[in-house]
Amino acid sequence: MPRTLHSVCALDCPDACSLLIDVDENGRGSRLRGNPAHPVTQGFLCGKVAKYLDREYSPGRLLYPMRRSGAKGEGRFARVSWPEALSEIAGRLSAAASEWGAESILPYSYAGTMGFLNGAGMDRRFFHSLGASRLDRTICSAAGMAGMTDALGTRYSIEPEQFRHAKLIIAWGANILGTNVHLWPFIVEARRNGAKFYTIDPNQNRTGKLADRHYAIRPGTDAALALAMMHVITSEGLEDRQYVTQHTLGFDDLRERVRDWTPQRAAELTGISAEDIIELARGYATTQPSAIRLNYGVQRSERGAMAVRTIALLPALTGAWLHLGGGIQLSTSAAFQVNRAGLERPDLQLKSTRIVNMTELGKALNSLDNPPVKAMVVYNSNPAAIAPDQNTVRKGLKREDLFTVVLEQFQTDTADFADILLPSTTFLEHTDLYFAYGHHYLQLARPALPAPGEALPNTEVFRRLAATMGLQDPCLKDSDDDMIRTLLDTTHPFVNGITLEELEQKHFVRLRMADPFLPFAEGGFGTPSGKCEFHAETINFQPPVESRSGDKSLLSRYPLELISPKNDDSMNSTFGNRPATDAQTGYLTLHPEDAAARHIAEGDTVRIVNDRGQCILLAKVSPTIAPGVVCVPSVRWPKLAPDRSSINMLTSQRLTDKGGGPTFYSCLVEVQKIGD
Ligand SMILES: Nc1nc2c(c(=O)[nH]1)N[C@H]1C(S)=C(S)[C@@H](COP(=O)(O)OP(=O)(O)OC[C@H]3O[C@@H](n4cnc5c(=O)[nH]c(N)nc54)[C@H](O)[C@@H]3O)O[C@H]1N2
Ligand SMILES: Nc1nc2c(c(=O)[nH]1)N[C@H]1C(S)=C(S)[C@@H](COP(=O)(O)OP(=O)(O)OC[C@H]3O[C@@H](n4cnc5c(=O)[nH]c(N)nc54)[C@H](O)[C@@H]3O)O[C@H]1N2
Ligand code: SF4
Ligand SMILES: [Mo]
């Protein structure tokens, strides 16, 4: 009988859509659509997931466990059975542990799925029991999280539904139409009621083109802009006196601190004129409710944490938090106060093991010692495309003495480096519980489709591996439902009382928080004083080393600033094997002035280069990118490119000021026309 089932989009996207899937009489999915009942999904999907069934039923799906039969990285494999694969992995991990110590084993995963169980469930229990190295999962948002916490003492954000009440909305390093499209209807509604919508971004992308004002900022200079806005606000007395007095600490010091941050000074750094900065600051301070949608673009630069922190102080100055629809949103994830410790069981470690920063995978594989990394298990991630400084990463992955296991749905570049390659289910095929980083609904998904071939969920693979290795703790046998009940077992008021049964029945459940949720209307910051603490003495701006105001000698060789933001039709590398998506990520956009100086015309083949590597792309020439900046959408599958490269051949392993995050968008390069 044809049926319509519920699911949840598991991709690494703030929207965490509630899905409906039509399944025909043979159990085959025939159509995916957004759930109209979900207040944020509102019945529509982004373009890339509306056609997800092509990925689900792709002939490229991995179906069986396989063992490497060719050279490392060559991608040749022969089929083996699950018991053979598991016993080989168990044997190799045990051997590494006894010869080098268990810390020679490194898990490597990120957010291929945002499900709690398949993202951070049985895998964590398994590696903690082994005593493996722990992974610091910094690759996306670590600097921003640190910056928000410095500003607010916590990371609560305003919710998407309330943007409809705003009168001024600023998308600050946020490509809403591309990466967060379910916020857009609320912005449309606000604008219909008279709201203004501004974008602050080096790239005037689709979102910027629809803005009332676009501010073309230079990469990595956002803190300078925020400081100059504070200068205008405080010198003109535009702050909300009452909010500042009641709910903040250190205002007088802050006013002093920003006194020399004149709009002129910031204009020289940011490329935005002093007049524009003054107008923006006045407009922001005097229009309420004002909402800032800060996304992660700002914090992928060298001083990303400070930039986020400085921006996140603005709503406290103007009292925007007081108003329904006012404040700032970076991520709503902090509201999902489930019992993560119960899920992940860090207590299973006999001793606290070393922590390896995933952004520095290249370093970890090539130069980590005591012990070196001898075995790596990769799941939910494609480091041979997405990690910075690819040439170093690949050198590490090629090591003959490194035993690599990859759990994947497709034969990615990373999969090509595997010694054992295991087939994984998609989110349509397994159970999971989902949080969101762009709304406040907890969601449950049950399998809607059968797994193809012998594909298994991550939870089951690690359950079986634990059994094969003879690990004893009873929690290693927990079922998926056991783990969900554990996650819900908490006294935190946002989650307490939500049950598996309720989720089963309703599919999505709002966290038990006030509706609407105004996080700081009455103060309640997560600081020792409960106030927003400015700590002006520690606020500063320094340009990234790799920027036009940075290292002069580097700049003389590599005068252009590279950003590699998300492609509208991609999900990092996840859809890189779709031909249409692959084609979109093969372009580099540069400003007409920079193109002319290099005799580059639209459609030319160009080489983008720095000391770390190079990549061949096709040129687009457009004034939508700020002068001196080049933009390449991230990120393609290197193995499908003619020169087998991606833009991450050029990005560096340098870390952000705080949080240990990556600096993908602080990257100096030169671009040359090929043939010159
Ligand atoms: N379509 C699509 N959606 C996605 C993804 C995807 O790959 N494709 N990826 C998902 C993931 S993993 C994440 S983390 C989110 C990220 O979502 P976003 O943070 O929205 O995405 P980014 O493209 O990283 O950055 C947003 C914007 O910041 C701009 N930017 C770059 N440097 C600077 C700067 O120094 N200052 C300012 N003001 N702006 C800057 C970029 O040009 C870009 O337009 O999106 C998720 N959603
Ligand atoms: N140059 C540049 N590089 C970047 C970025 C950038 O903006 N510019 N963005 C960075 C950011 S923000 C992020 S978050 C990272 C993302 O990097 P990754 O986390 O590696 O994300 P994806 O490239 O989407 O790869 C996820 C992989 O997980 C697999 N997968 C999905 N579900 C499952 C599952 O249930 N089980 C298993 N075993 N596998 C599964 C998918 O098939 C896919 O190959 O990339 C970073 N890299
Ligand atoms: S990728 Fe984002 S917008 Fe697209 S369906 Fe998934 S959650 Fe929704
Ligand atoms: Mo991300």
Side-chain angles (χ1 to χ4, degrees), residues 157-159 332 335-336 438-442 509-511 513 517:
S157 282
I158 53 171
E159 45 197 5
T332 57
F336 291 80
H439 62 65
H440 284 142
Y441 296 84
L442 197 59
V509 173
R510 187 180 160 84
L511 293 172
M513 54 210 304
F517 177 60

Side-chain angles (χ1 to χ4, degrees), residues 11-15 46 48 110-111 114 139-141 171-181 199-208 214-223 225 293-302 307 311 330 437 544 562-575 625 629 631 634-635 664-666:
L11 297 183
D12 186 357
C13 168
D15 300 2
C46 66
K48 55 197 174 292
Y110 200 65
M114 293 221 308
I139 199 93
C140 174
S141 56
W172 199 321
N175 178 12
I176 293 165
L177 278 167
T179 62
N180 177 204
V181 66
T199 47
I200 303 174
D201 198 306
N203 184 28
Q204 190 171 18
N205 49 33
R206 271 207 299 160
T207 312
H214 172 72
Y215 296 91
I217 194 166
R218 292 177 185 152
T221 65
D222 299 271
L225 174 60
R293 176 48 163 136
L294 179 65
N295 215 327
Y296 286 106
V298 167
Q299 53 98 61
R300 291 193 230 291
S301 63
E302 203 186 310
I311 295 165
L330 176 60
Y437 63 100
L562 165 72
I563 57 169
S564 46
K566 315 298 184 191
N567 182 41
D568 289 4
D569 242 3
S570 304
M571 179 51 62
N572 304 307
S573 74
T574 294
F575 296 110
I625 189 78
V629 185
C631 179
S634 68
V635 54
F664 289 113
Y665 304 169
S666 296

Side-chain angles (χ1 to χ4, degrees), residues 584-605:
Q584 291 161 8
T585 46
Y587 287 93
L588 170 151
T589 305
L590 73 176
H591 191 271
E593 285 167 18
D594 299 312
R598 291 165 181 77
H599 309 292
I600 293 170
E602 179 91 9
D604 281 350
T605 304

Side-chain angles (χ1 to χ4, degrees), residues 83-102:
E84 277 176 280
L86 292 170
S87 75
E88 180 158 340
I89 297 168
R92 294 291 296 264
L93 296 187
S94 303
S98 56
E99 188 173 347
W100 298 90

Side-chain angles (χ1 to χ4, degrees), residues 86 89-90 93 126 460-471:
L86 292 170
I89 297 168
L93 296 187
F126 172 75
E460 181 59 16
V461 173
F462 288 105
R463 215 177 268 125
R464 290 190 190 185
L465 259 180
T468 311
M469 294 189 74
L471 299 175

